[in-house]
Amino acid sequence: MADAESSLKEYTGIDPNKNFHLDVPPGKTNFHVKGMDNVDWGMKDRLSRIFNPKSGNTLMLAFDHGYIMGASTGLERLDVLIPELAEDIDVLMATRGALRSCVPPTFNKAVALRCTAGSTVLSEDVTKEIIGVDIEDAIRINASCMAVQTFLGTEDEKNSIENLVKTINAGNKYNIPTLGVVAVGKQMARNPQFFSLATRVIAELGAQIIKSYYCEDFEKVTAGCPVPIVIAGGKKLPENEALTMAYQAISEGAHGVDMGRNIFQAEDPKAMAKAVAKVVHEGYNDKAAYEFYLDMKKR
Ligand code: R5P
């Protein structure tokens, strides 16, 4: 591990000796979700609820923050917020508690079900998680995928990988994909080397979708990852910057965004959800999407 640790400490660009064949587009396949040609019909059906077959991309609305943070800013009343935004997004990323108590089951949206649990903002160390939702409950809730937080490079790495592979094994029995979430703790590296390593490891362990962060050299991260990456939104940015991040990520090989605070804490969350959707599905660049946002906000 010494080499990996030292190479992650200081980022100097993903090793220029590695050839990610950036000039070669991914091989032509018969299915619109990267790396998923050979999975079964049920898995493809769920993946097609997540990734729009026309654009190949997805807009996930993350509102699972409450399982760690309680009623965080913008998510005080899910029963008010979610019905406003549901029509503009593809996937509801949430806990089972939020879905069952606050989200009408009539929206017919894909669900990325948060399946790990184990700490809150009151804990000293948020990396120690368990599987909090069993496969039967994921089936009952009609999850389109199960989300598992993965803390690579921490003391809890092995436990975290165990949560991931157990969920993947259970999901594979019933054709429910697993969304492996690259977590970044306070003490962890957040550079392209780390994201390249983490996304590839999680894909090789069998996750069908990866959630990770946008970073420098992102096109190498996506090229080296054999399954789709959706980017995490992260802390609230000014709306134009969040749209630029989404645009750059999609231009550099992401297949969608899983965005929370940058949508629901926006000055106009509905206009922001619609603007992000333009980038994700309709090829808008960041400037056009921001103009669209401003225009929608006036209405
Ligand atoms: C991380 O995996 C959790 O799902 C977060 O609760 C969520 O993704 C955070 O979303 P955002 O950073 O866009 O607010």
Side-chain angles (χ1 to χ4, degrees), residues 2 11 49 79 104 149 153 164-165 174 187 194 212 217 221 246 257:
Y11 174 64
R49 285 172 60 75
D79 59 323
Q149 196 100 316
L164 177 72
V165 293
Y174 301 100
Q187 73 282 32
F194 173 73
S212 188
D217 272 345
V221 177
V257 305

Side-chain angles (χ1 to χ4, degrees), residues 62 64-65 93 114 149 181 211 232-235 258-261:
D64 57 339
H65 308 55
M93 183 182 188
R114 157 66 56 193
Q149 196 100 316
V181 179
K211 172 173 171 174
K235 284 186 187 153
D258 186 3
M259 202 172 250
R261 286 163 287 180

Side-chain angles (χ1 to χ4, degrees), residues 203-277:
E204 298 243 3
L205 291 172
Q208 289 85 358
I209 312 165
I210 313 289
K211 172 173 171 174
S212 188
Y213 288 83
Y214 180 70
C215 60
E216 218 179 306
D217 272 345
F218 190 68
E219 73 280 13
K220 290 184 182 170
V221 177
T222 56
C225 182
V227 302
I229 295 180
V230 296
I231 61 150
K235 284 186 187 153
K236 173 75 176 69
L237 299 167
E239 283 80 355
N240 59 336
E241 290 178 27
L243 289 165
T244 296
M245 178 175 71
Y247 170 66
Q248 288 175 338
I250 297 290
S251 311
E252 294 168 34
H255 284 285
V257 305
D258 186 3
M259 202 172 250
R261 286 163 287 180
N262 278 298
I263 291 179
F264 62 72
Q265 291 179 353
E267 206 179 320
D268 185 334
K270 191 165 179 65
M272 188 62 178
K274 285 182 184 296
V276 178

Side-chain angles (χ1 to χ4, degrees), residues 11-23 34 192-193 195-197 199-200 214-227 229 248-249 251-254:
Y11 174 64
T12 52
I14 291 180
D15 186 347
N17 294 318
K18 287 186 181 170
N19 187 354
F20 288 93
H21 296 281
L22 296 181
D23 53 333
K34 185 177 182 183
Q193 304 280 46
F195 291 125
S196 174
L197 178 145
T199 53
R200 179 63 174 260
Y214 180 70
C215 60
E216 218 179 306
D217 272 345
F218 190 68
E219 73 280 13
K220 290 184 182 170
V221 177
T222 56
C225 182
V227 302
I229 295 180
Q248 288 175 338
S251 311
E252 294 168 34

